[in-house]
Amino acid sequence: MKGRIIEIFSSVQGEGLWLGIEQIFVRFHGCKLKCSYCDTPLTHHAITKSRVEVFPYTQEFENHALEYGVEELNATLSSFKLQSIAITGGEPLEQVEFLEAWLPTLKTQYQILLETSGIEVEAFKLIKQYVDMASMDIKLPSSSGEKPYWKEHDLFLEQTLPHKVYAKIVFNEKMTPEEEGHLETLFNKYPELPVVFQPVSPLRSINLQEALLKARRFSQKFGPRIRVIPQVHKYLAVM
Ligand code: SF4
């Protein structure tokens, strides 16, 4: 069993509730969605190589084959000497068979953050016991350009709450009243769900003031479980 992995590198987590934690990022290949703001275009291409960071923050990489076995991957991870891993993509849950083989080998050594589009519900059920926190996207068509996935997001949250998940919503000033209504329904249904509104990057590409006013409506209604956090790693000019 092998996993297709585009990149392995270390950085400061720049999004969500684990903001600021130094992590090893394991970026999986492949995603059936095509969000307009996706910053990992390679995930959609047929590639044969991956790259592994040589030294933190240098952006110097060594090439590696795209596919990794479990032992090989763990040996690569151990060289980073960090205790937290961000499993990201692409959509890692599209390779759930590899995750089922790999994650049980990690549990005692690392804290695991899974970054997911929040639509692969059945796959998530298979591996959720190994995940310390899931960062689950809520895809808004007004920012992603994708179709809505309200039903899938709802089912995904049913699998995770009351623990181990926060919702990340990439948004701009174009969020529609219909989307706002769906979000309110979810926030009411899951009162313990922490929510991170993440303005689309780069911030100059959107009307930030109008976008923040949209998020403010939710802060007024749902209180401090609503956060607004931009992609902080971009300010540090790191990956
Ligand atoms: S779900 Fe994530 S990886 Fe997939 S297209 Fe959207 S932003 Fe890119």
Side-chain angles (χ1 to χ4, degrees):
M1 172 58 58
K2 295 205 165 184
R4 300 186 319 281
I5 293 166
I6 300 176
E7 282 177 329
I8 302 174
F9 60 96
S10 63
S11 188
V12 176
Q13 175 57 252
E15 300 181 359
L17 293 192
W18 283 24
L19 184 70
I21 296 176
E22 270 200 84
Q23 295 194 286
I24 311 164
F25 290 75
V26 180
R27 191 182 293 289
F28 279 71
H29 181 250
C31 178
K32 67 171 71 155
L33 303 188
K34 290 207 166 50
C35 305
S36 54
Y37 51 73
C38 184
D39 58 5
T40 316
L42 266 184
T43 204
H44 300 296
H45 294 275
I47 56 175
T48 56
K49 288 207 169 7
S50 72
R51 57 182 199 165
V52 179
E53 187 185 45
V54 177
F55 196 76
Y57 307 123
T58 59
Q59 307 229 5
E60 286 176 25
F61 291 87
E62 282 175 352
N63 283 334
H64 187 282
L66 183 69
E67 294 193 335
Y68 288 75
V70 168
E71 284 182 18
E72 186 184 17
L73 178 56
N74 286 347
T76 304
L77 297 178
S78 67
S79 69
F80 285 86
K81 302 192 181 351
L82 291 172
Q83 290 138 33
S84 185
I85 297 177
I87 300 173
T88 188
E91 173 50 74
L93 290 173
E94 290 184 12
Q95 297 187 56
V96 72
E97 288 179 4
F98 179 74
L99 295 180
E100 283 184 282
W102 174 46
L103 292 180
T105 70
L106 295 182
K107 189 57 188 166
T108 57
Q109 284 172 274
Y110 298 99
Q111 283 203 315
I112 305 296
L113 172 72
L114 172 71
E115 299 183 331
T116 173
S117 57
I119 65 174
E120 301 291 343
V121 181
E122 294 307 313
F124 183 64
K125 283 186 200 171
L126 297 173
I127 54 94
K128 67 178 183 177
Q129 63 182 303
Y130 305 112
V131 172
D132 296 297
M133 177 67 83
S135 172
M136 190 207 90
D137 287 356
I138 294 180
K139 298 294 183 191
L140 300 183
S142 60
S143 57
S144 70
E146 275 284 345
K147 68 171 192 170
Y149 287 95
W150 300 111
K151 186 169 162 219
E152 290 82 355
H153 294 328
D154 189 5
L155 291 171
F156 199 100
L157 288 172
E158 277 183 4
Q159 290 304 315
T160 53
L161 282 167
H163 304 297
K164 304 206 311 187
V165 66
Y166 64 86
K168 187 185 84 186
I169 303 165
V170 178
F171 76 110
N172 59 25
E173 74 281 7
K174 294 179 185 143
M175 190 194 306
T176 67
E178 186 188 355
E179 290 170 338
E180 291 177 28
H182 280 292
L183 289 176
E184 284 202 20
T185 302
L186 278 182
F187 298 170
N188 280 320
K189 182 172 177 184
Y190 302 105
E192 295 177 60
L193 175 68
V195 177
V196 175
F197 280 95
Q198 180 176 294
V200 168
S201 289
L203 296 180
R204 65 177 178 281
S205 70
I206 65 173
N207 184 329
L208 186 58
Q209 190 177 35
E210 277 192 33
L212 290 175
L213 284 172
K214 296 261 183 191
R216 189 167 194 267
R217 284 195 49 241
F218 292 98
S219 303
Q220 288 176 318
K221 188 151 191 180
F222 295 97
R225 73 180 165 117
I226 307 291
R227 295 167 169 85
V228 179
I229 307 177
Q231 286 184 303
V232 171
H233 55 287
K234 304 239 162 125
Y235 295 96
L236 299 173
V238 295
M239 291 180 68

